[in-house]
């Protein structure tokens, strides 16, 4: 992204050569690339902090219903130009839960933004949350490109991106799911997925109702 930003900035300096459309196009590219760089740096910083044990966990009692619907709404604002049909179904009496709200929001947001990014025009996204025995289960399903069999063992690896054309034509740096898994593990939870090529993918997060943080457990 830095090279692209530099090149576009140089282009913008050539006052006599450029027209209004080029100015708008170049500024949009700079904005997009800055956003990508920002995500990359934040993901890297968070992963490094978690792996080095240097993260301070801010445990709070959180109304899960509110957190899920807020995160869902703000992630879905970015999906407008794909014409997706988005739905949310959260059990009304779902418990409050002790989690690090900011970290948990990052994890959810990574899965939701992938559900948008790897979806198709007019596709669907569904977020469901329920209590099963003494667990909270959060499911995020999309009707997108699905994950190839050969990629399925690697998607939580750091910097892993599928080599398929469908993935390569979309932007990404392969850190989102790795960070998401670290965050869920930090909450002593589990993340799994089911996926079928050209049908879609469902990520499932399971958390104990009374979360013990990994750090405390150790
Ligand atoms: P990226 O920045 O590449 O999206 P992630 O760590 O978020 O990185 O995801 C790793 C890889 O897992 C992606 O490159 C893609 O191959 C696959 N993937 C993740 N989420 C989905 C999804 N909802 N549908 C299809 N493939 C997915």
């Amino acid at each position: 992204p830095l090279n692209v930003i530099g090149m576009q900035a140089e282009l913008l300096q050539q006052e006599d050569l450029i027209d209004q459309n080029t100015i708008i196009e170049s500024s949009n590219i700079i904005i997009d690339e800055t956003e990508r760089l920002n995500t990359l740096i934040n993901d890297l910083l968070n992963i490094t902090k978690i792996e080095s044990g240097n993260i301070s966990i801010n445990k709070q009692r959180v109304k899960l219903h509110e957190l899920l619907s807020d995160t869902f709404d703000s992630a879905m604002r970015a999906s407008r130009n794909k014409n997706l049909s988005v739905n949310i179904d959260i059990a009304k009496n779902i418990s409050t839960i002790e989690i690090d709200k900011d970290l948990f929001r990052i994890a959810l947001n990574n899965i939701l933004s992938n559900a948008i990014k790897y979806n198709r025009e007019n596709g669907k996204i569904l977020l469901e949350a329920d209590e099963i025995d003494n667990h909270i289960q959060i499911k995020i399903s999309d009707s997108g490109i699905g994950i190839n069999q050969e990629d399925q063992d690697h998607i939580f690896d750091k910097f892993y991106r599928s080599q398929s054309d469908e993935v390569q034509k979309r932007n990404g740096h392969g850190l989102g799911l790795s960070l998401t898994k670290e965050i869920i593990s930090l909450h002593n939870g589990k993340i799994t997925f089911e996926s079928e090529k050209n049908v879609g993918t469902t990520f499932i997060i399971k958390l104990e109702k009374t979360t013990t943080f990994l750090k405390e457990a150790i």
Side-chain angles (χ1 to χ4, degrees):
L2 273 180
N3 286 339
V4 180
I5 293 170
M7 269 160 49
Q8 295 299 327
E10 275 174 26
L11 183 70
L12 286 174
Q13 279 184 332
Q14 299 173 356
E15 280 166 44
D16 45 333
L17 294 179
I18 57 172
D19 55 30
Q20 191 61 28
N21 282 344
T22 317
I23 294 178
I24 295 171
E25 215 172 280
S26 285
S27 336
N28 281 337
I29 295 175
I30 291 177
I31 292 168
D32 287 352
E33 293 300 313
T34 308
E35 179 59 40
R36 278 183 60 199
L37 202 57
N38 203 18
T39 316
L40 173 64
I41 292 170
N42 282 333
D43 283 357
L44 268 175
L45 276 177
N46 281 319
I47 289 185
T48 314
K49 274 193 213 155
I50 292 176
E51 286 182 346
S52 64
N54 262 339
I55 195 129
S56 55
I57 297 161
N58 184 10
K59 197 164 133 178
Q60 330 168 21
R61 189 149 275 285
V62 169
K63 287 184 184 145
L64 199 56
H65 203 295
E66 238 173 72
L67 176 69
L68 289 172
S69 39
D70 278 4
T71 314
F72 186 77
D73 289 347
S74 58
M76 291 309 131
R77 261 176 240 132
S79 77
R80 283 211 185 110
N81 51 2
K82 267 202 165 156
N83 223 357
L84 300 175
S85 117
V86 302
N87 284 293
I88 182 161
D89 182 9
I90 306 173
K92 276 213 178 67
N93 52 353
I94 202 153
S95 304
T96 55
I97 185 167
E98 278 204 9
I99 51 175
D100 184 308
K101 198 174 170 180
D102 295 335
L103 281 178
F104 203 74
R105 195 187 261 272
I106 292 173
L108 283 173
N109 197 48
N110 281 335
I111 305 177
L112 289 167
S113 41
N114 280 348
I116 299 170
K117 178 165 69 174
Y118 297 110
N119 223 313
R120 304 175 179 286
E121 202 66 29
N122 304 317
K124 290 181 191 150
I125 296 179
L126 172 65
L127 184 152
E128 297 162 280
D130 209 346
E131 283 189 28
I132 298 168
D133 304 326
N134 48 3
H135 282 91
I136 304 251
Q137 178 170 283
I138 302 164
K139 274 170 116 178
I140 296 166
S141 319
D142 67 65
S143 63
I145 61 172
I147 303 171
N148 289 343
Q149 203 61 42
E150 66 265 29
D151 295 319
Q152 294 201 359
D153 285 344
H154 305 287
I155 59 163
F156 293 108
D157 296 351
K158 236 185 276 173
F159 294 112
Y160 187 83
R161 302 204 75 218
S162 167
Q163 288 305 310
S164 79
D165 291 349
E166 285 284 23
V167 170
Q168 291 295 320
K169 71 182 183 197
R170 294 156 161 95
N171 284 329
H173 45 253
L175 283 176
L177 282 184
S178 157
L179 174 60
T180 299
K181 190 168 183 179
E182 299 260 18
I183 293 173
I184 303 299
S185 304
L186 207 57
H187 288 82
N188 251 347
K190 284 222 156 51
I191 176 164
T192 53
F193 67 94
E194 291 158 8
S195 185
E196 198 178 330
K197 196 164 163 50
N198 296 327
V199 177
T201 305
T202 300
F203 281 90
I204 302 152
I205 298 173
K206 275 194 186 148
L207 291 174
E208 283 169 30
K209 268 201 245 173
T210 41
T211 314
T212 341
F213 280 91
L214 203 56
K215 239 179 162 180
E216 290 173 352
I218 294 165

